[in-house]
Amino acid sequence: MTDLSNGIGIIRQKPTLVSTFELLVKAITPVTAPGTEPVARTVVQGYFLTIANTSNSNVRLTLQFTATTPVLNVADTVTISDVKGTNDFSDLTPVAGDPNRFTFSLGISANDTALVTLLPDVSKIDLIKAAKLEIRGYVEILLNSPSAGTPVNLLLTPEHRGTFLPQNLAAPNPDFDQLAYSLPTSSGGSLFTLTAPVLKINKELKIEVKEFEKVQKDKDFEKVQAEKLAETSQVENLTSGDGSNDLQRLIGLMAQRLDQIEQRTANGQNGQSFIQAKERPSVGEQVVNQPKN
């Protein structure tokens, strides 16, 4: 899935299925005959997800809960996250335009572990008295960061944990029993490898970047030409002046150039230059053609 904004495309990875979940404040079995009420004890059950970040980078995660039938009423639930050793209470966030989806985001430091819990809100006594709450659905996970397509390995352990309530909560010695069982994951194991969204530049922005690079190259070319023109102007100024000093400087530059040519051709002449040192005139010395012997 790709979102485009200001010429930049964000390639979002699809959420990864984790497991199912079931929230309960309900009798464990229906009462079918008089005298069987003690068997039909009310159970309060919640969803627990342990997440271990095995990477060397901090991560940002989003959990997505989907519940269609029965619907999930956020007011009847509470979400608790424990990342730093304390319980942080919050609520799920409804997904705009989709009444059956809800999200919860959290961050986990490198090589650290977090626990996310979705529970029935038992602080509401009416929920316990009615004993009719039942919410089922499935959980997905999405990695938000780090970006640049870097895969991250997470260990996910989903569980259901619950408490059996006594028939009479006001009894002197109420009988509470606990239950806990792990849930199968979509991968069949605990290891999940996730990839964060990747930024991608769209075609129009790439064209603009290329045009900018071309303009920059043209500017660099003009700068080089201007520097060459300045050097040529210096030589022209030397040759156009009437003073002897300028002429002497020009002759000196020519002599230096001859030295460079001599050094390059020396190896091709058995170590000897085609102009011997004693034959080379000094700067400013008048040269007279000598007859050959």
mmCIF file of all heavy atoms in Angstrom, residues 103-155:
data_model
loop_
_atom_site.group_PDB
_atom_site.id
_atom_site.type_symbol
_atom_site.label_atom_id
_atom_site.label_comp_id
_atom_site.label_asym_id
_atom_site.label_seq_id
_atom_site.Cartn_x
_atom_site.Cartn_y
_atom_site.Cartn_z
ATOM 1 N N THR A 103 -6.804 0.453 17.119
ATOM 2 C CA THR A 103 -5.345 0.367 17.157
ATOM 3 C C THR A 103 -4.806 0.779 18.516
ATOM 4 O O THR A 103 -5.454 1.505 19.283
ATOM 5 C CB THR A 103 -4.702 1.249 16.072
ATOM 6 O OG1 THR A 103 -5.063 2.623 16.308
ATOM 7 C CG2 THR A 103 -5.155 0.817 14.696
ATOM 8 N N PHE A 104 -3.588 0.307 18.776
ATOM 9 C CA PHE A 104 -2.854 0.695 19.982
ATOM 10 C C PHE A 104 -1.378 0.745 19.606
ATOM 11 O O PHE A 104 -0.837 -0.215 19.047
ATOM 12 C CB PHE A 104 -3.068 -0.303 21.115
ATOM 13 C CG PHE A 104 -2.314 0.046 22.365
ATOM 14 C CD1 PHE A 104 -2.783 1.020 23.227
ATOM 15 C CD2 PHE A 104 -1.117 -0.592 22.677
ATOM 16 C CE1 PHE A 104 -2.092 1.357 24.381
ATOM 17 C CE2 PHE A 104 -0.416 -0.261 23.821
ATOM 18 C CZ PHE A 104 -0.908 0.721 24.678
ATOM 19 N N SER A 105 -0.704 1.880 19.887
ATOM 20 C CA SER A 105 0.700 2.067 19.514
ATOM 21 C C SER A 105 1.578 2.147 20.757
ATOM 22 O O SER A 105 1.154 2.656 21.804
ATOM 23 C CB SER A 105 0.876 3.335 18.664
ATOM 24 O OG SER A 105 0.136 3.241 17.459
ATOM 25 N N LEU A 106 2.806 1.670 20.597
ATOM 26 C CA LEU A 106 3.765 1.722 21.708
ATOM 27 C C LEU A 106 5.185 1.659 21.151
ATOM 28 O O LEU A 106 5.403 1.238 20.004
ATOM 29 C CB LEU A 106 3.544 0.567 22.685
ATOM 30 C CG LEU A 106 3.998 -0.839 22.257
ATOM 31 C CD1 LEU A 106 4.206 -1.716 23.487
ATOM 32 C CD2 LEU A 106 2.995 -1.492 21.328
ATOM 33 N N GLY A 107 6.127 2.076 21.969
ATOM 34 C CA GLY A 107 7.542 1.984 21.616
ATOM 35 C C GLY A 107 8.266 1.042 22.564
ATOM 36 O O GLY A 107 7.942 0.969 23.750
ATOM 37 N N ILE A 108 9.250 0.323 22.019
ATOM 38 C CA ILE A 108 10.047 -0.614 22.822
ATOM 39 C C ILE A 108 11.517 -0.342 22.529
ATOM 40 O O ILE A 108 11.925 -0.296 21.359
ATOM 41 C CB ILE A 108 9.705 -2.081 22.503
ATOM 42 C CG1 ILE A 108 8.201 -2.334 22.652
ATOM 43 C CG2 ILE A 108 10.479 -3.018 23.414
ATOM 44 C CD1 ILE A 108 7.787 -3.745 22.267
ATOM 45 N N SER A 109 12.300 -0.181 23.569
ATOM 46 C CA SER A 109 13.735 0.073 23.394
ATOM 47 C C SER A 109 14.441 -1.171 22.859
ATOM 48 O O SER A 109 13.900 -2.284 22.894
ATOM 49 C CB SER A 109 14.357 0.491 24.724
ATOM 50 O OG SER A 109 13.745 1.656 25.220
ATOM 51 N N ALA A 110 15.648 -0.952 22.371
ATOM 52 C CA ALA A 110 16.447 -2.056 21.836
ATOM 53 C C ALA A 110 16.662 -3.121 22.898
ATOM 54 O O ALA A 110 16.959 -2.808 24.062
ATOM 55 C CB ALA A 110 17.792 -1.533 21.328
ATOM 56 N N ASN A 111 16.472 -4.380 22.520
ATOM 57 C CA ASN A 111 16.703 -5.539 23.392
ATOM 58 C C ASN A 111 15.854 -5.489 24.676
ATOM 59 O O ASN A 111 16.269 -6.000 25.711
ATOM 60 C CB ASN A 111 18.189 -5.655 23.756
ATOM 61 C CG ASN A 111 19.087 -5.660 22.539
ATOM 62 O OD1 ASN A 111 19.923 -4.777 22.376
ATOM 63 N ND2 ASN A 111 18.924 -6.637 21.676
ATOM 64 N N ASP A 112 14.678 -4.880 24.558
ATOM 65 C CA ASP A 112 13.793 -4.773 25.714
ATOM 66 C C ASP A 112 12.490 -5.529 25.431
ATOM 67 O O ASP A 112 12.251 -5.993 24.321
ATOM 68 C CB ASP A 112 13.490 -3.311 26.016
ATOM 69 C CG ASP A 112 13.138 -3.098 27.490
ATOM 70 O OD1 ASP A 112 12.955 -4.098 28.204
ATOM 71 O OD2 ASP A 112 13.045 -1.927 27.909
ATOM 72 N N THR A 113 11.651 -5.638 26.456
ATOM 73 C CA THR A 113 10.410 -6.411 26.369
ATOM 74 C C THR A 113 9.249 -5.581 26.891
ATOM 75 O O THR A 113 9.409 -4.792 27.835
ATOM 76 C CB THR A 113 10.525 -7.717 27.180
ATOM 77 O OG1 THR A 113 11.661 -8.448 26.730
ATOM 78 C CG2 THR A 113 9.294 -8.586 26.997
ATOM 79 N N ALA A 114 8.074 -5.770 26.288
ATOM 80 C CA ALA A 114 6.864 -5.068 26.721
ATOM 81 C C ALA A 114 5.717 -6.059 26.844
ATOM 82 O O ALA A 114 5.715 -7.121 26.205
ATOM 83 C CB ALA A 114 6.505 -3.960 25.729
ATOM 84 N N LEU A 115 4.734 -5.692 27.661
ATOM 85 C CA LEU A 115 3.521 -6.486 27.818
ATOM 86 C C LEU A 115 2.324 -5.591 27.547
ATOM 87 O O LEU A 115 2.187 -4.524 28.150
ATOM 88 C CB LEU A 115 3.426 -7.067 29.233
ATOM 89 C CG LEU A 115 2.139 -7.833 29.565
ATOM 90 C CD1 LEU A 115 2.005 -9.079 28.700
ATOM 91 C CD2 LEU A 115 2.096 -8.193 31.047
ATOM 92 N N VAL A 116 1.471 -6.019 26.604
ATOM 93 C CA VAL A 116 0.245 -5.294 26.276
ATOM 94 C C VAL A 116 -0.940 -6.169 26.660
ATOM 95 O O VAL A 116 -0.984 -7.351 26.300
ATOM 96 C CB VAL A 116 0.184 -4.932 24.782
ATOM 97 C CG1 VAL A 116 -1.127 -4.222 24.456
ATOM 98 C CG2 VAL A 116 1.370 -4.056 24.395
ATOM 99 N N THR A 117 -1.884 -5.586 27.393
ATOM 100 C CA THR A 117 -3.034 -6.334 27.896
ATOM 101 C C THR A 117 -4.320 -5.630 27.483
ATOM 102 O O THR A 117 -4.447 -4.414 27.678
ATOM 103 C CB THR A 117 -2.990 -6.442 29.422
ATOM 104 O OG1 THR A 117 -1.733 -6.976 29.831
ATOM 105 C CG2 THR A 117 -4.102 -7.341 29.927
ATOM 106 N N LEU A 118 -5.263 -6.391 26.937
ATOM 107 C CA LEU A 118 -6.598 -5.884 26.645
ATOM 108 C C LEU A 118 -7.577 -6.643 27.532
ATOM 109 O O LEU A 118 -7.689 -7.871 27.436
ATOM 110 C CB LEU A 118 -6.947 -6.079 25.167
ATOM 111 C CG LEU A 118 -8.326 -5.580 24.732
ATOM 112 C CD1 LEU A 118 -8.467 -4.078 24.943
ATOM 113 C CD2 LEU A 118 -8.596 -5.940 23.270
ATOM 114 N N LEU A 119 -8.276 -5.900 28.416
ATOM 115 C CA LEU A 119 -9.110 -6.526 29.446
ATOM 116 C C LEU A 119 -10.526 -5.949 29.437
ATOM 117 O O LEU A 119 -10.722 -4.794 29.024
ATOM 118 C CB LEU A 119 -8.509 -6.285 30.829
ATOM 119 C CG LEU A 119 -7.095 -6.795 31.106
ATOM 120 C CD1 LEU A 119 -6.618 -6.264 32.445
ATOM 121 C CD2 LEU A 119 -7.057 -8.310 31.077
ATOM 122 N N PRO A 120 -11.475 -6.721 29.910
ATOM 123 C CA PRO A 120 -12.781 -6.135 30.222
ATOM 124 C C PRO A 120 -12.620 -5.155 31.383
ATOM 125 O O PRO A 120 -11.818 -5.383 32.289
ATOM 126 C CB PRO A 120 -13.632 -7.339 30.623
ATOM 127 C CG PRO A 120 -12.904 -8.534 30.115
ATOM 128 C CD PRO A 120 -11.457 -8.183 30.124
ATOM 129 N N ASP A 121 -13.370 -4.068 31.348
ATOM 130 C CA ASP A 121 -13.264 -3.073 32.411
ATOM 131 C C ASP A 121 -14.116 -3.518 33.601
ATOM 132 O O ASP A 121 -15.304 -3.169 33.714
ATOM 133 C CB ASP A 121 -13.731 -1.713 31.888
ATOM 134 C CG ASP A 121 -13.454 -0.594 32.884
ATOM 135 O OD1 ASP A 121 -12.957 -0.902 33.999
ATOM 136 O OD2 ASP A 121 -13.735 0.568 32.559
ATOM 137 N N VAL A 122 -13.509 -4.288 34.498
ATOM 138 C CA VAL A 122 -14.249 -4.841 35.643
ATOM 139 C C VAL A 122 -14.473 -3.809 36.734
ATOM 140 O O VAL A 122 -15.076 -4.130 37.769
ATOM 141 C CB VAL A 122 -13.517 -6.079 36.224
ATOM 142 C CG1 VAL A 122 -13.537 -7.223 35.232
ATOM 143 C CG2 VAL A 122 -12.087 -5.707 36.622
ATOM 144 N N SER A 123 -13.989 -2.579 36.517
ATOM 145 C CA SER A 123 -14.321 -1.529 37.472
ATOM 146 C C SER A 123 -15.793 -1.152 37.370
ATOM 147 O O SER A 123 -16.335 -0.483 38.267
ATOM 148 C CB SER A 123 -13.439 -0.293 37.240
ATOM 149 O OG SER A 123 -13.715 0.284 35.964
ATOM 150 N N LYS A 124 -16.448 -1.590 36.288
ATOM 151 C CA LYS A 124 -17.883 -1.368 36.117
ATOM 152 C C LYS A 124 -18.633 -2.577 36.679
ATOM 153 O O LYS A 124 -18.640 -3.657 36.069
ATOM 154 C CB LYS A 124 -18.211 -1.167 34.636
ATOM 155 C CG LYS A 124 -17.541 0.066 34.024
ATOM 156 C CD LYS A 124 -17.902 0.234 32.562
ATOM 157 C CE LYS A 124 -17.278 1.513 31.998
ATOM 158 N NZ LYS A 124 -17.626 1.698 30.580
ATOM 159 N N ILE A 125 -19.229 -2.395 37.816
ATOM 160 C CA ILE A 125 -19.915 -3.499 38.505
ATOM 161 C C ILE A 125 -21.044 -4.068 37.658
ATOM 162 O O ILE A 125 -21.329 -5.279 37.705
ATOM 163 C CB ILE A 125 -20.435 -3.022 39.869
ATOM 164 C CG1 ILE A 125 -19.256 -2.510 40.716
ATOM 165 C CG2 ILE A 125 -21.154 -4.148 40.599
ATOM 166 C CD1 ILE A 125 -18.202 -3.554 40.984
ATOM 167 N N ASP A 126 -21.660 -3.221 36.837
ATOM 168 C CA ASP A 126 -22.768 -3.691 36.008
ATOM 169 C C ASP A 126 -22.327 -4.774 35.029
ATOM 170 O O ASP A 126 -23.109 -5.685 34.704
ATOM 171 C CB ASP A 126 -23.392 -2.529 35.237
ATOM 172 C CG ASP A 126 -24.125 -1.559 36.162
ATOM 173 O OD1 ASP A 126 -24.441 -1.981 37.293
ATOM 174 O OD2 ASP A 126 -24.352 -0.411 35.752
ATOM 175 N N LEU A 127 -21.089 -4.692 34.555
ATOM 176 C CA LEU A 127 -20.577 -5.726 33.634
ATOM 177 C C LEU A 127 -20.505 -7.076 34.335
ATOM 178 O O LEU A 127 -20.820 -8.121 33.751
ATOM 179 C CB LEU A 127 -19.191 -5.341 33.095
ATOM 180 C CG LEU A 127 -19.109 -4.289 31.980
ATOM 181 C CD1 LEU A 127 -17.664 -4.081 31.580
ATOM 182 C CD2 LEU A 127 -19.947 -4.697 30.781
ATOM 183 N N ILE A 128 -20.069 -7.069 35.582
ATOM 184 C CA ILE A 128 -19.939 -8.320 36.326
ATOM 185 C C ILE A 128 -21.324 -8.883 36.659
ATOM 186 O O ILE A 128 -21.576 -10.091 36.534
ATOM 187 C CB ILE A 128 -19.112 -8.100 37.602
ATOM 188 C CG1 ILE A 128 -17.704 -7.639 37.237
ATOM 189 C CG2 ILE A 128 -19.045 -9.374 38.430
ATOM 190 C CD1 ILE A 128 -16.836 -7.316 38.433
ATOM 191 N N LYS A 129 -22.239 -8.015 37.062
ATOM 192 C CA LYS A 129 -23.574 -8.486 37.407
ATOM 193 C C LYS A 129 -24.307 -9.057 36.199
ATOM 194 O O LYS A 129 -24.990 -10.093 36.289
ATOM 195 C CB LYS A 129 -24.384 -7.349 38.023
ATOM 196 C CG LYS A 129 -23.905 -6.934 39.400
ATOM 197 C CD LYS A 129 -24.769 -5.811 39.958
ATOM 198 C CE LYS A 129 -24.335 -5.425 41.362
ATOM 199 N NZ LYS A 129 -25.176 -4.328 41.907
ATOM 200 N N ALA A 130 -24.151 -8.379 35.044
ATOM 201 C CA ALA A 130 -24.834 -8.852 33.838
ATOM 202 C C ALA A 130 -24.207 -10.133 33.321
ATOM 203 O O ALA A 130 -24.906 -11.022 32.810
ATOM 204 C CB ALA A 130 -24.803 -7.771 32.764
ATOM 205 N N ALA A 131 -22.899 -10.229 33.423
ATOM 206 C CA ALA A 131 -22.164 -11.428 32.966
ATOM 207 C C ALA A 131 -22.542 -11.811 31.536
ATOM 208 O O ALA A 131 -22.782 -12.978 31.229
ATOM 209 C CB ALA A 131 -22.404 -12.589 33.912
ATOM 210 N N LYS A 132 -22.563 -10.778 30.652
ATOM 211 C CA LYS A 132 -22.952 -11.017 29.265
ATOM 212 C C LYS A 132 -21.876 -10.565 28.256
ATOM 213 O O LYS A 132 -22.083 -10.655 27.053
ATOM 214 C CB LYS A 132 -24.253 -10.263 28.948
ATOM 215 C CG LYS A 132 -25.461 -10.689 29.777
ATOM 216 C CD LYS A 132 -25.893 -12.101 29.435
ATOM 217 C CE LYS A 132 -27.175 -12.482 30.169
ATOM 218 N NZ LYS A 132 -27.592 -13.882 29.879
ATOM 219 N N LEU A 133 -20.744 -10.064 28.753
ATOM 220 C CA LEU A 133 -19.741 -9.523 27.840
ATOM 221 C C LEU A 133 -18.981 -10.643 27.139
ATOM 222 O O LEU A 133 -18.422 -11.536 27.785
ATOM 223 C CB LEU A 133 -18.749 -8.631 28.594
ATOM 224 C CG LEU A 133 -17.648 -7.995 27.725
ATOM 225 C CD1 LEU A 133 -18.238 -7.000 26.752
ATOM 226 C CD2 LEU A 133 -16.580 -7.343 28.590
ATOM 227 N N GLU A 134 -18.918 -10.558 25.825
ATOM 228 C CA GLU A 134 -18.159 -11.520 25.020
ATOM 229 C C GLU A 134 -17.702 -10.813 23.750
ATOM 230 O O GLU A 134 -18.517 -10.378 22.941
ATOM 231 C CB GLU A 134 -19.025 -12.731 24.679
ATOM 232 C CG GLU A 134 -18.298 -13.800 23.866
ATOM 233 C CD GLU A 134 -19.177 -15.000 23.575
ATOM 234 O OE1 GLU A 134 -20.394 -14.940 23.878
ATOM 235 O OE2 GLU A 134 -18.674 -15.997 23.033
ATOM 236 N N ILE A 135 -16.394 -10.674 23.580
ATOM 237 C CA ILE A 135 -15.815 -9.999 22.410
ATOM 238 C C ILE A 135 -14.750 -10.906 21.803
ATOM 239 O O ILE A 135 -13.818 -11.323 22.497
ATOM 240 C CB ILE A 135 -15.178 -8.642 22.792
ATOM 241 C CG1 ILE A 135 -16.213 -7.742 23.465
ATOM 242 C CG2 ILE A 135 -14.602 -7.951 21.567
ATOM 243 C CD1 ILE A 135 -15.621 -6.472 24.047
ATOM 244 N N ARG A 136 -14.905 -11.208 20.533
ATOM 245 C CA ARG A 136 -13.940 -12.060 19.835
ATOM 246 C C ARG A 136 -13.412 -11.344 18.595
ATOM 247 O O ARG A 136 -14.133 -10.551 17.969
ATOM 248 C CB ARG A 136 -14.584 -13.383 19.412
ATOM 249 C CG ARG A 136 -15.005 -14.270 20.536
ATOM 250 C CD ARG A 136 -15.501 -15.604 20.002
ATOM 251 N NE ARG A 136 -16.598 -15.444 19.043
ATOM 252 C CZ ARG A 136 -17.880 -15.367 19.397
ATOM 253 N NH1 ARG A 136 -18.238 -15.413 20.667
ATOM 254 N NH2 ARG A 136 -18.814 -15.232 18.473
ATOM 255 N N GLY A 137 -12.178 -11.653 18.241
ATOM 256 C CA GLY A 137 -11.611 -11.058 17.035
ATOM 257 C C GLY A 137 -10.195 -11.562 16.811
ATOM 258 O O GLY A 137 -9.800 -12.622 17.308
ATOM 259 N N TYR A 138 -9.428 -10.780 16.057
ATOM 260 C CA TYR A 138 -8.038 -11.155 15.786
ATOM 261 C C TYR A 138 -7.142 -9.925 15.899
ATOM 262 O O TYR A 138 -7.599 -8.777 15.819
ATOM 263 C CB TYR A 138 -7.878 -11.818 14.418
ATOM 264 C CG TYR A 138 -8.326 -10.991 13.229
ATOM 265 C CD1 TYR A 138 -7.448 -10.131 12.578
ATOM 266 C CD2 TYR A 138 -9.629 -11.073 12.760
ATOM 267 C CE1 TYR A 138 -7.849 -9.385 11.487
ATOM 268 C CE2 TYR A 138 -10.054 -10.335 11.665
ATOM 269 C CZ TYR A 138 -9.157 -9.489 11.036
ATOM 270 O OH TYR A 138 -9.572 -8.738 9.946
ATOM 271 N N VAL A 139 -5.840 -10.190 16.083
ATOM 272 C CA VAL A 139 -4.854 -9.145 16.328
ATOM 273 C C VAL A 139 -3.820 -9.157 15.211
ATOM 274 O O VAL A 139 -3.374 -10.228 14.773
ATOM 275 C CB VAL A 139 -4.150 -9.352 17.686
ATOM 276 C CG1 VAL A 139 -3.195 -8.192 17.982
ATOM 277 C CG2 VAL A 139 -5.174 -9.507 18.798
ATOM 278 N N GLU A 140 -3.448 -7.965 14.761
ATOM 279 C CA GLU A 140 -2.379 -7.798 13.776
ATOM 280 C C GLU A 140 -1.341 -6.830 14.335
ATOM 281 O O GLU A 140 -1.633 -6.030 15.227
ATOM 282 C CB GLU A 140 -2.935 -7.259 12.460
ATOM 283 C CG GLU A 140 -3.945 -8.169 11.786
ATOM 284 C CD GLU A 140 -4.644 -7.496 10.624
ATOM 285 O OE1 GLU A 140 -5.515 -6.632 10.908
ATOM 286 O OE2 GLU A 140 -4.343 -7.805 9.468
ATOM 287 N N ILE A 141 -0.141 -6.889 13.782
ATOM 288 C CA ILE A 141 0.944 -6.012 14.235
ATOM 289 C C ILE A 141 1.595 -5.355 13.035
ATOM 290 O O ILE A 141 1.706 -5.949 11.956
ATOM 291 C CB ILE A 141 1.982 -6.799 15.074
ATOM 292 C CG1 ILE A 141 2.948 -5.835 15.753
ATOM 293 C CG2 ILE A 141 2.724 -7.824 14.218
ATOM 294 C CD1 ILE A 141 3.845 -6.509 16.790
ATOM 295 N N LEU A 142 2.037 -4.091 13.242
ATOM 296 C CA LEU A 142 2.669 -3.317 12.176
ATOM 297 C C LEU A 142 3.869 -2.586 12.753
ATOM 298 O O LEU A 142 3.779 -1.972 13.825
ATOM 299 C CB LEU A 142 1.668 -2.319 11.589
ATOM 300 C CG LEU A 142 2.104 -1.520 10.362
ATOM 301 C CD1 LEU A 142 2.247 -2.446 9.154
ATOM 302 C CD2 LEU A 142 1.077 -0.432 10.045
ATOM 303 N N LEU A 143 4.997 -2.649 12.051
ATOM 304 C CA LEU A 143 6.216 -1.951 12.468
ATOM 305 C C LEU A 143 6.228 -0.566 11.828
ATOM 306 O O LEU A 143 6.131 -0.429 10.615
ATOM 307 C CB LEU A 143 7.462 -2.743 12.054
ATOM 308 C CG LEU A 143 8.817 -2.127 12.387
ATOM 309 C CD1 LEU A 143 9.020 -2.074 13.896
ATOM 310 C CD2 LEU A 143 9.944 -2.931 11.739
ATOM 311 N N ASN A 144 6.354 0.478 12.662
ATOM 312 C CA ASN A 144 6.380 1.855 12.156
ATOM 313 C C ASN A 144 7.789 2.399 11.998
ATOM 314 O O ASN A 144 8.032 3.249 11.138
ATOM 315 C CB ASN A 144 5.595 2.765 13.108
ATOM 316 C CG ASN A 144 4.132 2.366 13.195
ATOM 317 O OD1 ASN A 144 3.528 1.975 12.204
ATOM 318 N ND2 ASN A 144 3.572 2.437 14.383
ATOM 319 N N SER A 145 8.709 1.980 12.825
ATOM 320 C CA SER A 145 10.099 2.415 12.728
ATOM 321 C C SER A 145 10.986 1.351 13.368
ATOM 322 O O SER A 145 10.513 0.566 14.183
ATOM 323 C CB SER A 145 10.303 3.757 13.452
ATOM 324 O OG SER A 145 10.128 3.593 14.849
ATOM 325 N N PRO A 146 12.282 1.256 13.032
ATOM 326 C CA PRO A 146 13.019 2.135 12.130
ATOM 327 C C PRO A 146 12.605 1.956 10.682
ATOM 328 O O PRO A 146 12.077 0.921 10.301
ATOM 329 C CB PRO A 146 14.482 1.699 12.331
ATOM 330 C CG PRO A 146 14.374 0.268 12.737
ATOM 331 C CD PRO A 146 13.124 0.164 13.545
ATOM 332 N N SER A 147 12.942 3.007 9.877
ATOM 333 C CA SER A 147 12.566 2.959 8.470
ATOM 334 C C SER A 147 13.703 2.390 7.628
ATOM 335 O O SER A 147 14.550 1.654 8.127
ATOM 336 C CB SER A 147 12.180 4.349 7.995
ATOM 337 O OG SER A 147 13.249 5.229 8.183
ATOM 338 N N ALA A 148 13.690 2.781 6.321
ATOM 339 C CA ALA A 148 14.701 2.321 5.352
ATOM 340 C C ALA A 148 14.627 0.828 5.097
ATOM 341 O O ALA A 148 15.569 0.224 4.616
ATOM 342 C CB ALA A 148 16.110 2.692 5.804
ATOM 343 N N GLY A 149 13.479 0.248 5.384
ATOM 344 C CA GLY A 149 13.296 -1.164 5.040
ATOM 345 C C GLY A 149 14.121 -2.121 5.859
ATOM 346 O O GLY A 149 14.394 -3.240 5.433
ATOM 347 N N THR A 150 14.569 -1.701 7.055
ATOM 348 C CA THR A 150 15.394 -2.567 7.888
ATOM 349 C C THR A 150 14.525 -3.607 8.602
ATOM 350 O O THR A 150 13.641 -3.244 9.373
ATOM 351 C CB THR A 150 16.140 -1.741 8.947
ATOM 352 O OG1 THR A 150 16.904 -0.729 8.300
ATOM 353 C CG2 THR A 150 17.056 -2.634 9.768
ATOM 354 N N PRO A 151 14.743 -4.905 8.369
ATOM 355 C CA PRO A 151 13.933 -5.928 9.057
ATOM 356 C C PRO A 151 14.255 -5.963 10.551
ATOM 357 O O PRO A 151 15.390 -5.744 10.966
ATOM 358 C CB PRO A 151 14.347 -7.233 8.370
ATOM 359 C CG PRO A 151 15.035 -6.825 7.105
ATOM 360 C CD PRO A 151 15.659 -5.505 7.390
ATOM 361 N N VAL A 152 13.222 -6.236 11.343
ATOM 362 C CA VAL A 152 13.369 -6.319 12.797
ATOM 363 C C VAL A 152 12.765 -7.637 13.266
ATOM 364 O O VAL A 152 11.651 -7.990 12.871
ATOM 365 C CB VAL A 152 12.665 -5.140 13.491
ATOM 366 C CG1 VAL A 152 12.646 -5.338 14.995
ATOM 367 C CG2 VAL A 152 13.349 -3.830 13.144
ATOM 368 N N ASN A 153 13.501 -8.347 14.096
ATOM 369 C CA ASN A 153 13.017 -9.612 14.654
ATOM 370 C C ASN A 153 12.379 -9.373 16.017
ATOM 371 O O ASN A 153 13.000 -8.811 16.924
ATOM 372 C CB ASN A 153 14.170 -10.614 14.794
ATOM 373 C CG ASN A 153 14.640 -11.138 13.448
ATOM 374 O OD1 ASN A 153 13.855 -11.281 12.511
ATOM 375 N ND2 ASN A 153 15.920 -11.438 13.342
ATOM 376 N N LEU A 154 11.118 -9.815 16.136
ATOM 377 C CA LEU A 154 10.387 -9.713 17.390
ATOM 378 C C LEU A 154 9.944 -11.101 17.833
ATOM 379 O O LEU A 154 9.642 -11.956 16.995
ATOM 380 C CB LEU A 154 9.155 -8.820 17.235
ATOM 381 C CG LEU A 154 9.359 -7.391 16.723
ATOM 382 C CD1 LEU A 154 8.010 -6.714 16.545
ATOM 383 C CD2 LEU A 154 10.236 -6.596 17.675
ATOM 384 N N LEU A 155 9.892 -11.299 19.134
ATOM 385 C CA LEU A 155 9.308 -12.512 19.699
ATOM 386 C C LEU A 155 7.955 -12.150 20.300
ATOM 387 O O LEU A 155 7.872 -11.313 21.202
ATOM 388 C CB LEU A 155 10.226 -13.113 20.767
ATOM 389 C CG LEU A 155 11.544 -13.716 20.276
ATOM 390 C CD1 LEU A 155 12.379 -14.186 21.463
ATOM 391 C CD2 LEU A 155 11.288 -14.878 19.333
#
